[in-house]
Amino acid sequence: MSDITEALSYDDVLLAPQASAVLPRDVDVSARLHANVQLSLPLLSAAMDKVTEAGMAIALARQGGLGVVHKSAPVEVQAGMVEAVKRSESGFIIDPVTLRPEEPVGKAFDLMAKFRVSGFPVVDPAGRLVGIVTNRDLRLVEDDGTPVREHMTTRGLITAAVGTTLEQARDLMQEHRVEKLPIVEPADTGDEHGLLVGMFTFKDIEKVRKYPSAAKDARGRLLCGAAVGVGPEGEERAEALVAAGVDLLGIDSAHGHSAGILEFAAKLKDRHPDVVLMVGNVATGDAVRACADHGADVVKVGVGPGSICTTRVVTGVGMPQFTAVLECARVGNELGVATVADGGIRYSGDVVKALAAGATTVMVGNLLAGTDESPGEQVLVGGRRYKEYRGMGSVEAMRSGSADRYFQAEVAERSGPSQAEASKLVPEGVSGLLPYRGAVGEVTGQLEGGIRSGMGYLGARTLPELAERARFVRQSAAGARESHVHDVDVVHEAPNYQVPGRG
Ligand code: XMP
């Protein structure tokens, strides 16, 4: 047995204030996870089935962060979610969903629901634009089997040429009162139908203006991450996600520093060298080194800090999160690998501490699970609104597809609907309810505000400067008590503070 070393959690430390000439409104909170994944807010949403599906990934990317879509769904469903994020908005859509004139309008309805779009260009087999069909054209259709041809607009189509700017497109659409502007290039001379090469939509252009800090790829589409497991199913999943346009693949495991995960990471990197690869979870510098050696671009840090995690009490294993982040970020920075501080974030101050300890970004589950954009409905208990949240290691979540994260896939498969067999699963998480927290933008606004203020106190203009300037002090239990609200009988709710333990 080695010597016992001390490890700390967020509440054990504080950042000493420093002389500053920096105002919170002037700081830059952008974070670079990778050359292809640049965020304007250092925040990822957890790959959990009560946290990140398409709605969350879209909302978070609009605020400048990144959603990592969970993998407890069939491959095609998860890939569909990624596709929905990638198609949700971009000033210019390079490969719009199209229909053929002979296809039934039922297909148009399906695609409208899937991609939440209101209409489609109609093209012939050579890719020439022959019409446009929108929900307005289809409002009165009674038979889903009638061909699109019968309902599409063909005359006086408003189109524009390659090279049209966002502003020109907007003016044109406003002038002609249309919602979509196909971009065409001439087909062979004399042909009235040009080849469809892309499309602007009015809605997207408005969103570009509404969300100026959105996290986007080189083609102007929102960034999106997604989780995969290992083995042949993981490979198939990765394949489908890459085809759907995913920007970051995260290998989702409770123990990233294990042979099977590392081998799979190397394989995945080999097969998809252009996709950013995130590997985790780990809690030591050695593990970060191992992940980097096996192709990780980003390493996710956190063994047991999560609000719904019981890994540490069930297995006796883990590392208080502040020390884990400090150690892993130090090694990550040495190796040029980004680190994500995953789990255990309760307040914006914890985010500041994680970033000051050197993490590139944080990942949160709890803080986002109670929002409008997380999957699931609100529930009313005693007149208050809640949303369900559960650990991916809870029995419920493992039975719906996350058991492999805890190396228990075979038990879950055997158990099927049987309660008796399910009791053989060894959970490392719980399920419960969280207070409803409003829209994602409200939560991220508070988190960003806290980060900005923290940087102001330290005189840091950028996140790398925050880590450079950070001087942590250890606080005693009395110090931690003093840090929280004390000696007040009734505490009114604040948007960025809950009394500890009250959820
Ligand atoms: P927060 O604190 O934001 O943490 O709710 C979210 C992170 O917790 C991890 N996670 C789990 N860890 N058992 C665990 O030990 C679980 O059941 C579990 N579910 C999620 C995960 O890393 C997530 O991002």
Side-chain angles (χ1 to χ4, degrees):
M1 195 186 77
S2 59
D3 292 341
I4 295 177
T5 54
E6 197 180 45
L8 306 175
S9 59
Y10 291 129
D11 266 356
D12 292 320
V13 296
L14 281 173
L15 282 154
Q18 313 224 6
S20 170
V22 175
L23 292 173
R25 66 162 187 267
D26 297 330
V27 307
D28 172 4
V29 295
S30 63
R32 181 185 181 281
L33 266 186
H34 182 272
N36 298 341
V37 181
Q38 314 246 17
L39 307 179
S40 39
L41 184 65
L43 188 67
L44 270 58
S45 65
M48 298 171 72
D49 62 0
K50 297 292 177 193
V51 181
T52 312
E53 293 192 341
M56 174 63 69
I58 291 170
L60 192 55
R62 282 179 181 161
Q63 304 296 334
L66 178 78
V68 184
V69 175
H70 74 85
K71 64 174 183 57
S72 294
V75 172
E76 60 289 358
V77 175
Q78 188 193 20
M81 293 183 207
V82 170
E83 215 176 318
V85 180
K86 298 306 291 180
R87 284 193 185 280
S88 66
E89 69 200 51
S90 50
F92 180 63
I93 308 163
I94 234 164
D95 51 355
V97 184
T98 57
L99 286 169
R100 293 281 184 79
E102 66 279 9
E103 283 179 314
V105 294
K107 182 165 178 192
F109 290 128
D110 291 347
L111 292 172
M112 279 177 188
K114 180 170 176 197
F115 296 118
R116 296 195 223 154
V117 296
S118 59
F120 310 93
V122 184
V123 294
D124 69 9
R128 288 174 304 192
L129 180 75
V130 295
I132 280 196
V133 67
T134 69
N135 51 5
R136 248 186 267 165
D137 304 319
L138 302 178
R139 261 185 313 203
L140 301 176
V141 173
E142 278 172 3
D143 178 3
D144 278 9
T146 53
V148 165
R149 180 190 301 118
E150 289 181 18
H151 303 281
M152 67 190 191
T153 305
T154 52
R155 281 173 196 282
L157 288 183
I158 307 299
T159 63
V162 176
T164 304
T165 65
L166 216 66
E167 283 69 31
Q168 290 167 335
R170 188 166 181 273
D171 291 347
L172 258 174
M173 283 190 270
Q174 233 159 10
E175 185 188 329
H176 295 281
R177 302 194 181 282
V178 290
E179 297 280 318
K180 299 189 189 309
L181 183 68
I183 301 300
V184 291
E185 66 184 357
D188 22 52
T189 33
D191 194 319
E192 59 163 319
H193 300 301
L195 285 173
L196 178 74
V197 293
M199 185 169 72
F200 285 105
T201 76
F202 197 77
K203 197 175 79 185
D204 283 356
I205 293 182
E206 285 302 292
K207 292 217 187 93
V208 170
R209 288 152 58 100
K210 190 166 169 199
Y211 302 107
S213 331
K216 295 192 165 174
D217 66 15
R219 280 163 52 181
R221 302 174 303 172
L222 294 179
L223 290 178
C224 184
V228 293
V230 298
E233 206 256 5
E235 280 176 52
E236 189 199 329
R237 202 171 270 279
E239 214 63 57
L241 294 166
V242 171
V246 78
D247 300 284
L248 172 144
L249 282 177
I251 300 180
D252 197 24
S253 167
H255 188 24
H257 199 184
S258 47
I261 302 292
L262 293 172
E263 276 161 31
F264 187 73
K267 198 169 180 180
L268 219 53
K269 190 67 195 175
D270 208 40
R271 190 152 311 164
H272 305 289
D274 296 335
V275 178
V276 179
L277 180 65
M278 179 163 79
V279 182
N281 276 19
V282 303
T284 63
D286 283 348
V288 175
R289 224 169 250 119
C291 293
D293 284 348
H294 288 80
D297 301 299
V298 181
V299 178
K300 194 145 68 70
V301 181
V303 176
S307 58
I308 30 50
C309 299
T310 55
T311 293
R312 294 182 190 167
V313 282
V314 169
T315 68
V317 176
M319 175 82 82
Q321 184 68 344
F322 177 73
T323 295
V325 171
L326 198 64
E327 186 178 327
C328 291
R330 186 174 43 76
V331 175
N333 287 329
E334 260 168 48
L335 301 175
V337 170
T339 46
V340 173
D342 175 20
I345 300 286
R346 299 147 308 156
Y347 303 102
S348 49
D350 297 337
V351 182
V352 181
K353 291 173 189 177
L355 299 172
T360 317
T361 72
V362 300
M363 176 180 259
V364 303
N366 184 309
L367 289 185
L368 291 172
T371 59
D372 291 323
E373 293 86 345
S374 64
E377 299 304 317
Q378 294 177 26
V379 286
L380 270 176
V381 181
R384 291 195 68 182
R385 293 190 284 173
Y386 293 86
K387 283 194 84 165
E388 203 193 323
Y389 184 41
R390 64 189 190 192
M392 298 312 287
S394 63
V395 173
E396 298 86 343
M398 284 206 280
R399 292 180 78 187
S400 37
S402 63
D404 62 333
R405 189 175 198 268
Y406 299 88
F407 307 94
Q408 297 181 44
E410 284 168 15
V411 188
E413 245 161 58
R414 266 202 321 270
S415 76
S418 137
Q419 277 303 332
E421 280 286 339
S423 67
K424 290 186 186 147
L425 285 166
V426 181
E428 292 184 26
V430 298
S431 61
L433 294 176
L434 290 177
Y436 167 67
R437 288 206 171 93
V440 161
E442 293 170 39
V443 175
T444 56
Q446 290 299 331
L447 291 177
E448 180 173 344
I451 301 170
R452 286 179 176 277
S453 297
M455 291 169 75
Y457 278 111
L458 263 73
R461 282 178 202 284
T462 62
L463 293 178
E465 224 176 279
L466 173 69
E468 259 164 50
R469 292 177 70 88
R471 199 163 59 74
F472 282 100
V473 292
R474 172 100 194 256
Q475 67 177 342
S476 61
R481 262 200 313 279
E482 182 184 73
S483 299
H484 278 280
V485 166
H486 55 86
D487 300 301
V488 184
D489 278 350
V490 178
V491 181
H492 297 303
E493 271 176 33
N496 57 357
Y497 185 78
Q498 296 87 41
V499 176
R502 281 210 220 146

